[in-house]
Amino acid sequence: MTDTRTRTPSSVLAAALAASVALCTAAALASPQAPGSRSAAGSAPATTPVLPAAATAPPVPLLWKVSDADNSLYLLGSFHLLLPGDYPLSRDVDMAFADAEKLVFEMAPEEMASPQLGLQMAQAAMRTDGSTLDQQLGPELAAKLASWGRDNAAQLAATGMTVEVLQRFEPWFVGMMVTISQMMGIGFDPALGLDAHMGGLAHQAQKPATGLETGAQQIAFLDGMDDGEQLQMLEQALDQAEAGADQTLALHAAWRAGDVEAILAGTVAELRRDFPELYRAINVERNDAWLPKLEARLHEDGEDDTLVVVGAMHLLGDDGVVEKLRAKGYAVERVCSACATP
């Protein structure tokens, strides 16, 4: 390809998609019923909170409180796969969880924990015309995928897949598999993701937890990408894997630091600039669809508060849920003890 975007090893597209809609993929990787897959050793269901010991200070939370006259929403920016050292979380997050009577996620924890979700995703991605993936990719990209498969055979096997099995699937699914298997290969775990962790805490505390979207909606978005977007996604995922872990670790470090400007200036700005249609689909349109559902929580009778846990990108910048709610006149404040100046 000659497009300059595909020459950049940063893989903005793959990283943004992994941060925004990796929930379905993580479930597919963990599902023993997905074709060719098996459960990763040590993976915990989404209903089991994981509390490994922290090697460093807790992450600085991307956490906001949005209030009307009688109740509030806490908005928490998630990283869908995390490392053991990312726990325990900030006391600010503990406080928000304790104060909230209900939780809302991108997808309901019960659906995330269902083994059927991975099966549905794999079925949606299965090629049905008798062709192989390589026939769609062309020689150059097919060779790049084969090279990645040889270099990462063990890592790919941990997801229950082989390069041969990947030939049965569409490019969007394989691109996500490349990105997520790379993240898992350097220690990131969907069972440690903030969504899974907070869903587990809600289950233990018997707090109601629902989703803004269904698994079917997230799968439909991915499966609805056109051929060009799918091929870009796969090529950039392979470029990122070839370049190493730096991009993933930098994005994770910005999330850990609660650094809004770094996330906006990096992944979000580049995705919006280089892939405007995809950015609108995965961020703007979904945020706009979520907004009335979140406002309904504020308009409920009584004083129940809600903790909302979604991918961090959905909260940030002018297109983010935080600013959209502020523009509607709600009181908005960032909850960040670590951000306070002495």
Side-chain angles (χ1 to χ4, degrees), residues 56-237:
T56 58
V60 177
L62 293 165
L63 177 64
W64 285 263
K65 185 177 183 180
V66 181
S67 304
D68 67 359
D70 54 4
N71 50 27
S72 300
L73 293 175
Y74 292 97
L75 304 175
L76 178 61
S78 173
F79 208 87
H80 297 313
L81 292 83
L82 285 175
L83 300 169
D86 291 324
Y87 292 91
L89 299 173
S90 163
R91 291 170 63 183
D92 292 330
V93 177
D94 294 340
M95 177 278 297
F97 177 80
D99 194 38
E101 285 78 21
K102 306 171 184 176
L103 282 83
V104 175
F105 298 86
E106 292 185 35
M107 192 189 309
E110 292 81 2
E111 187 171 15
M112 272 299 304
S114 169
Q116 293 301 313
L117 181 61
L119 179 61
Q120 291 165 5
M121 187 178 196
Q123 287 176 334
M126 193 75 71
R127 306 181 72 84
T128 58
D129 62 359
S131 67
T132 66
L133 177 62
D134 280 353
Q135 289 173 324
Q136 182 180 1
L137 301 185
E140 184 178 347
L141 190 51
K144 187 178 291 190
L145 176 61
S147 176
W148 174 83
R150 288 191 298 270
D151 293 342
N152 297 274
Q155 193 170 302
L156 186 57
T159 71
M161 289 283 183
T162 65
V163 172
E164 291 73 25
V165 171
L166 292 181
Q167 290 294 316
R168 307 174 190 171
F169 294 98
E170 296 176 5
W172 66 263
F173 182 84
V174 178
M176 292 293 284
M177 290 292 293
V178 170
T179 298
I180 303 303
S181 63
Q182 183 210 17
M183 292 181 72
M184 293 176 69
I186 57 176
F188 288 92
D189 188 344
L192 298 180
L194 194 61
D195 316 80
H197 177 79
M198 300 306 297
L201 292 181
H203 177 76
Q204 281 197 342
Q206 298 184 349
K207 294 188 177 187
T210 58
L212 292 165
E213 298 172 336
T214 65
Q217 288 174 309
Q218 290 203 356
I219 292 169
F221 156 71
L222 291 164
D223 197 40
M225 295 171 66
D226 65 37
D227 288 348
E229 289 173 334
Q230 291 193 39
L231 293 175
Q232 282 185 327
M233 178 180 173
L234 174 55
E235 182 162 13
Q236 289 213 337

Side-chain angles (χ1 to χ4, degrees), residues 269-282:
E270 292 179 38
L271 179 64
R272 181 169 50 199
R273 181 191 67 222
D274 294 340
F275 304 95
E277 293 298 323
L278 191 59
Y279 173 81
R280 181 163 55 251
I282 70 171

